Amino acid sequence: MAPSLPALPLLLALVLGVALPAQAYDQLDYCQPPRICPQFTRVSTNQKYEERLYESSVWMCTAGDATDSMAVMRATMRVINYRNQQSWIQAVEIDDNTWPSLVKVKHGEKGKEVSLCWLVPPGVTLSSSGQVTVETLPKASMFVRPFEGIPTYMSRQENAQKLMEDLVADGECFDRAVFYAANYASDSSFTHHNEIWVPKD
């Protein structure tokens, strides 16, 4: 049977050794190189939120209390120490210019579980150690709402609630048990760009 027409370019590329063009991903103005960010393509946008299709990504995460600034600081130090330890063990520099930092909030059988996660640079292999776990966020569509200002426990909760209310009003299906608060700036920055991510069901 002859190959179908859509398969011909791939077949010719394999036979002739011709490289096909790489997948083009969208880039955020506040996440340009040398910053390393998760790859995504924008699906749709409106005045309230947008939908993005994120590629699979790997994160180093540790549990923490998002309501307590000291607990957040301790969680941050655990991730930094873990990354530095892994860099020393593997004798390779693990790029620390990865964004965003994520606060994952999940409502489960044990109540509300909160964790702080930092992106693992592509090509780096890590394993869970101590209080830091390595987690894969599979390829998924996310509804995204931006918000400005210093990210606090209250501002994350309020913006997550507003996004979910808008999604309900628009008849969208989404995971009500979890959301991610993404921060693209250090605590000492004068400007902050933040986002709420809610997984599409």
Side-chain angles (χ1 to χ4, degrees), residues 2-155:
S4 62
L5 286 177
L8 282 175
L10 178 59
L11 180 61
L12 288 172
L14 292 173
V15 172
L16 300 176
V18 177
L20 292 174
Q23 166 74 47
Y25 295 102
D26 289 303
Q27 284 193 325
L28 303 168
D29 291 341
Y30 40 88
C31 216
Q32 298 289 333
R35 285 188 161 203
I36 301 170
C37 301
Q39 295 179 321
F40 75 93
T41 50
R42 193 171 278 107
V43 177
S44 62
T45 303
N46 61 41
Q47 291 182 340
K48 298 173 287 185
Y49 57 85
E50 66 182 29
E51 181 183 341
R52 300 175 187 165
L53 176 61
Y54 275 94
E55 298 298 319
S56 176
S57 53
V58 181
W59 301 78
M60 41 187 140
C61 302
T62 187
D65 180 0
T67 65
D68 181 350
S69 59
M70 291 303 295
V72 171
M73 188 178 298
R74 287 193 295 269
T76 300
M77 289 309 302
R78 283 198 298 271
V79 176
I80 290 173
N81 291 337
Y82 164 80
R83 185 192 62 214
N84 293 343
Q85 178 192 55
Q86 291 295 309
S87 181
W88 181 79
I89 290 172
Q90 298 190 36
V92 61
E93 183 178 354
I94 300 175
D95 199 325
D96 63 357
N97 199 10
T98 58
W99 298 92
S101 61
L102 285 184
V103 173
K104 177 184 178 182
V105 180
K106 183 177 182 180
H107 296 271
E109 295 178 356
K110 300 177 182 179
K112 184 164 62 177
E113 300 173 19
V114 180
S115 55
L116 171 70
C117 302
W118 284 10
L119 180 67
V120 176
V124 174
T125 301
L126 301 177
S127 56
S128 300
S129 176
Q131 293 179 290
V132 177
T133 59
V134 177
E135 303 178 13
T136 297
L137 193 59
K139 183 173 182 177
S141 290
M142 296 279 186
F143 294 110
V144 179
R145 174 189 177 89
F147 67 101
E148 304 297 331
I150 297 174
T152 64
Y153 174 77
M154 288 303 299
S155 66

Side-chain angles (χ1 to χ4, degrees), residues 170-186:
D170 290 348
E172 296 286 1
C173 296
F174 60 96
D175 188 344
R176 298 166 187 259
V178 63
F179 72 84
Y180 301 87
N183 175 26
Y184 290 88
S186 65

